[in-house]
Amino acid sequence: MPKIGYVQMLEDATIDEAKRGFFDALAEAGYEKDKNIKIDIQNAQNDMVLLNQILDKFIADKVSLIAANTTVATIAAVQKTKDIPVCMMVAPRPDIAKLTDKEGNAPANLCGTFETLDYIDTSIALIKQVFPQAKKVGTVFNFTEPNSINARTRLQLMCDSLGLELVEASLASSNETQQVVESVLANDVDVFFALPDNIIFSSFETVYKLTSEKNIPIVSSEMGLVKRGAFIAFGADFYEWGKQAGESAVHVLKGEQNVKPTEVKIRKRVYNEETAQALGLTPPEGFEKLD
């Protein structure tokens, strides 16, 4: 009986959607826990020591596949094993995550679904489209997380090209969120951009509360954050992202060789109706209300 070791970097409602999609894909393919597949689900609680312990256990247990949810978990899993297939999700393209070799090849045991940084450009362009009078964009980023640093760099380049001033600050844990976000908002920013960042995911309610108090809208590249209060986003549907990764895992479990990671297929333009009403904003055309 095959065994999957699933590890998620942290407990978070947005990231949990990818987890749900992943296991729905397995169920749709006929895999039932303890009937024809064993599943070990673990959460690293945003702790690198615990993450490494979980991965070591998976390897010792000789799991058939490691499912890694978020960038840090994917990178750690690939560094730990070259033999066990690693299924990535909620993580950037392998080269962006610095997982490719000198020839640009991803690890042979890596499958799953990735995102590029191109969608961030579209998300940032929304600021100019929806808030033409905006001059300052605020953000915070995790300087210890590669994906966050890359996204922050992309944000800076886009703001420069659009004539927007980026007011930013870095942080290393969710314990710093309130103080660091307050320092950014004190600079009279017009819009706050929520990056794809584990700290943002885990402490978004704090970000939302602080921006709401100052009537500052949040734009994001993560539609899951719209469900939690951001005004608008253009980005991947995390449930569908996880499901696409799960379909990749199914190919591996069925014995297919050379299953490569693929780019996420489903992205959406969404808005939060309650937030729009609270801030007195009109959702842009072409955006769907997120239930």
Side-chain angles (χ1 to χ4, degrees):
M1 189 183 297
K3 182 175 183 178
I4 285 182
Y6 172 95
V7 61
Q8 188 164 305
M9 191 58 202
L10 71 162
E11 202 71 49
D12 173 79
T14 302
I15 298 171
D16 282 346
E17 283 295 288
K19 172 185 174 184
R20 188 168 67 88
F22 179 82
F23 286 108
D24 279 357
L26 293 185
E28 289 179 12
Y31 288 100
E32 296 183 37
K33 185 179 180 181
D34 297 329
K35 182 178 180 180
N36 56 3
I37 192 168
K38 291 186 178 295
I39 298 172
D40 184 358
I41 299 175
Q42 298 291 333
N43 193 296
Q45 305 299 333
N46 219 15
D47 184 323
M48 285 301 300
V49 174
L50 180 55
L51 173 63
N52 282 298
Q53 290 173 346
I54 291 168
L55 292 170
D56 286 340
K57 182 178 183 300
F58 287 167
I59 294 168
D61 289 345
K62 297 181 179 178
V63 298
S64 309
L65 178 141
I66 296 173
N69 193 346
T70 77
T71 309
V72 176
T74 297
I75 293 172
V78 169
Q79 290 174 340
K80 286 277 185 181
T81 179
K82 304 301 179 188
D83 302 315
I84 299 172
V86 175
C87 183
M88 67 190 301
M89 68 194 85
V90 192
R93 196 174 59 207
D95 62 308
I96 298 172
K98 295 180 172 57
L99 291 175
T100 51
D101 59 22
K102 293 179 180 178
E103 287 72 41
N105 299 311
N109 63 324
L110 186 64
C111 63
T113 307
F114 61 79
E115 181 58 288
T116 69
L117 292 177
D118 294 340
Y119 75 110
I120 291 181
D121 295 355
T122 303
S123 303
I124 300 164
L126 291 175
I127 296 173
K128 203 69 173 175
Q129 173 192 338
V130 181
F131 306 102
Q133 304 305 315
K135 292 181 173 60
K136 292 184 180 181
V137 176
T139 197
V140 296
F141 68 98
N142 178 2
F143 64 86
T144 68
E145 187 179 336
N147 192 52
S148 184
I149 295 170
N150 290 331
R152 174 261 161 209
T153 300
R154 198 69 170 242
L155 174 59
Q156 179 71 72
L157 291 171
M158 277 299 294
C159 283
D160 290 346
S161 70
L162 294 170
L164 295 166
E165 179 184 346
L166 181 62
V167 180
E168 61 177 3
S170 62
L171 68 176
S173 79
S174 56
N175 294 330
E176 303 171 8
T177 301
Q178 179 161 340
Q179 181 180 354
V180 175
V181 171
E182 284 177 340
S183 72
V184 169
L185 300 183
N187 287 276
D188 298 322
V189 300
D190 302 297
V191 178
F192 188 91
F193 191 85
L195 290 166
D197 180 311
N198 284 339
I199 291 178
I200 291 293
F201 290 152
S202 63
S203 57
F204 184 75
E205 279 61 38
T206 299
V207 177
Y208 177 65
K209 178 178 181 294
L210 294 172
T211 54
S212 295
E213 289 172 351
K214 292 181 174 291
N215 291 317
I216 297 171
I218 299 174
V219 175
S220 183
S221 54
E222 310 303 320
M223 61 175 287
L225 296 182
V226 173
K227 188 176 290 187
R228 295 164 67 182
F231 173 44
I232 54 173
F234 168 70
D237 181 317
F238 273 43
Y239 172 81
E240 296 294 345
W241 191 342
K243 193 170 185 181
Q244 188 178 335
E247 291 165 354
S248 179
V250 167
H251 287 297
V252 174
L253 293 172
K254 289 184 175 180
E256 293 185 30
Q257 301 296 313
N258 300 315
V259 179
K260 304 296 184 185
T262 57
E263 183 176 338
V264 65
K265 295 176 182 177
I266 299 177
R267 300 182 183 91
K268 296 180 179 179
R269 288 173 167 80
V270 295
Y271 74 93
N272 184 306
E273 187 173 43
E274 288 185 12
T275 298
Q277 292 175 350
L279 297 178
L281 298 171
T282 302
E285 288 187 16
F287 280 65
E288 62 180 88
K289 180 175 67 175
L290 197 61
D291 296 327

